[in-house]
Amino acid sequence: MPCRAARRVYKALGRRGCFLAIAGFGKTCYGVSFLVIPPTDHGLQLLTQFCGLRHWSWLWIVCGLVTVGSAFLRVGRDWAGFVAAFIPPTVWALAYTVAVISGDYSRGGFVALWYLTSHCGVILWASTVPEYSVPPASKPPRRGTAA
């Protein structure tokens, strides 16, 4: 029974929708973690000079919910989910890059690269993946004809 329900959800979402649902759920959970147990602001001083990390957590939560909501839209209309998924890691990567340049957090360069590759890069790649990219089946050669 659970497998049938999972197949039905997968069929409704498609490949891009599944990616958006998983990414959105992860971003929402990450934002909630900032609300429940706020971490230290190592490398995020650019952000915390405007407001605390509990306030910045809402960026992750709202963008995550928009991303999840876009998972149920048709291909072509799901662009808002990819944009919403892209915003929080870009802001965090920018903050860590500024922290490296200012000398506040030397490890921030690695964290910024991590956000740029494993988050932003994957989101950009997933946004270009077509829903159905299986090549058409080739016809088998006919017997008795020269190629």
Side-chain angles (χ1 to χ4, degrees), residues 20-39 56-68 88 119:
L20 287 172
I22 292 168
F25 183 73
K27 289 180 186 321
T28 304
C29 289
Y30 191 62
V32 170
S33 77
F34 277 83
L35 281 177
V36 176
I37 305 170
W56 282 104
S57 71
W58 287 103
L59 176 70
W60 287 91
I61 294 168
V62 169
C63 287
L65 293 175
V66 169
T67 303
V68 169
H119 290 267

Side-chain angles (χ1 to χ4, degrees), residues 30 33-42 44 48 53-54 92:
Y30 191 62
S33 77
F34 277 83
L35 281 177
V36 176
I37 305 170
T40 59
D41 66 345
H42 292 300
L44 298 173
T48 57
L53 288 178
R54 284 183 180 235
W92 252 244

Side-chain angles (χ1 to χ4, degrees), residues 16-111:
R16 292 167 56 102
C18 283
F19 174 81
L20 287 172
I22 292 168
F25 183 73
K27 289 180 186 321
T28 304
C29 289
Y30 191 62
V32 170
S33 77
F34 277 83
L35 281 177
V36 176
I37 305 170
T40 59
D41 66 345
H42 292 300
L44 298 173
Q45 290 83 6
L46 176 68
L47 302 178
T48 57
Q49 72 183 356
F50 298 109
C51 58
L53 288 178
R54 284 183 180 235
H55 294 97
W56 282 104
S57 71
W58 287 103
L59 176 70
W60 287 91
I61 294 168
V62 169
C63 287
L65 293 175
V66 169
T67 303
V68 169
S70 296
F72 297 94
L73 300 177
R74 288 189 325 207
V75 175
R77 295 186 179 199
D78 58 358
W79 64 268
F82 289 104
V83 172
F86 189 75
I87 292 171
T90 304
V91 170
W92 252 244
L94 177 66
Y96 281 117
T97 302
V98 169
V100 169
I101 293 170
S102 67
D104 291 335
Y105 191 56
S106 59
R107 186 175 175 262
F110 298 107
V111 181

Side-chain angles (χ1 to χ4, degrees), residues 105-128:
Y105 191 56
S106 59
R107 186 175 175 262
F110 298 107
V111 181
L113 286 173
W114 177 69
Y115 274 113
L116 290 173
T117 56
S118 68
H119 290 267
C120 297
V122 171
I123 292 164
L124 289 175
W125 168 79
S127 69
T128 63

